[in-house]
Amino acid sequence: MIVGIGTDICKIARIAESAGRSQRFVEKVLGPDELAQYQLRGERSPERAMRYLATRWAAKEALGKALGSGVVPPMTLATAQVLNNPAGKPEFVFSGALAEHMCRQGWFAQVTVSDEAEYAVAFVIVEKPVAQTVVQSVAQSAQPAP
C-alpha cells in the first residue's frame, strides 16, 4: 500500500553554491557513508561530486514530501542516506530516530534519482507491505467495540 509519494528537482548550481560557501552544508546534508562517496567523487571530478550532492539533496526533500511531514524530526537529512546497492540502484539507509519511526510504522521507501546538465531530480514512494496492512486491519476489526 502506498503511504505517500514525493518528488523534488533542484538546480545543481544552487547546491554547488551552498557547498562552496560552507563545508558544514555538505556535512548537514550527507550522512557518513554518503560523505565518503562524495569525497571520492570529488577527487576524480568536482562536477561529479556536486551532481552527487544535488541528487542526494533532492532525494531527501522528496522523502520528506512522501512522509507528509517535510524534513522535520524524526527525519534529518543525515539520517536518510541514499546509497547505491551492488547493482547501482539507489536505496535509502535510515538511522537513528528515523529508522525507528520507519520500522515502527512498518514503512519502507523506494527512491530513484537522476541528473542532467543543470538539474537533479528524485522521486520517492513510501510503502507499507499489503500483507502487513491486511493483518493489522483484521486484528483491529476483531477487537470488541468500547
Side-chain angles (χ1 to χ4, degrees):
M1 174 176 92
I2 294 176
V3 175
I5 58 171
T7 190
D8 193 70
I9 186 170
C10 65
K11 277 194 126 174
I12 296 170
R14 184 177 64 90
I15 299 299
E17 185 179 306
S18 296
R21 280 197 308 266
S22 168
Q23 177 64 21
R24 183 163 147 47
F25 172 79
V26 175
E27 293 167 355
K28 181 180 175 185
V29 172
L30 301 177
D33 296 326
E34 290 172 315
L35 188 56
Q37 182 68 319
Y38 168 81
Q39 290 167 340
L40 281 173
R41 288 178 186 225
E43 290 171 6
R44 289 180 281 201
S45 166
E47 181 183 338
R48 282 192 57 182
M50 285 307 115
R51 287 173 178 251
Y52 180 85
L53 180 60
T55 57
R56 273 47 192 178
W57 172 269
K60 295 168 190 212
E61 288 288 315
L63 175 64
K65 293 170 184 174
L67 292 173
S69 60
V71 182
V72 297
M75 183 187 171
T76 66
L77 296 172
T79 60
Q81 293 193 96
V82 180
L83 304 172
N84 292 354
N85 73 15
K89 178 183 180 221
E91 297 178 335
F92 276 112
V93 177
F94 302 118
S95 61
L98 179 57
E100 292 171 14
H101 175 72
M102 296 294 284
C103 186
R104 191 171 41 256
Q105 297 297 329
W107 294 349
F108 66 96
Q110 300 285 337
V111 61
T112 187
V113 298
S114 188
D115 61 86
E116 193 49 56
E118 294 184 44
Y119 295 96
V121 64
F123 185 78
V124 173
I125 300 173
V126 174
E127 298 178 89
K128 186 173 194 168
V130 173
Q132 183 179 358
T133 304
V134 170
V135 169
Q136 287 177 341
S137 179
V138 169
Q140 288 172 351
S141 64
Q143 294 179 356

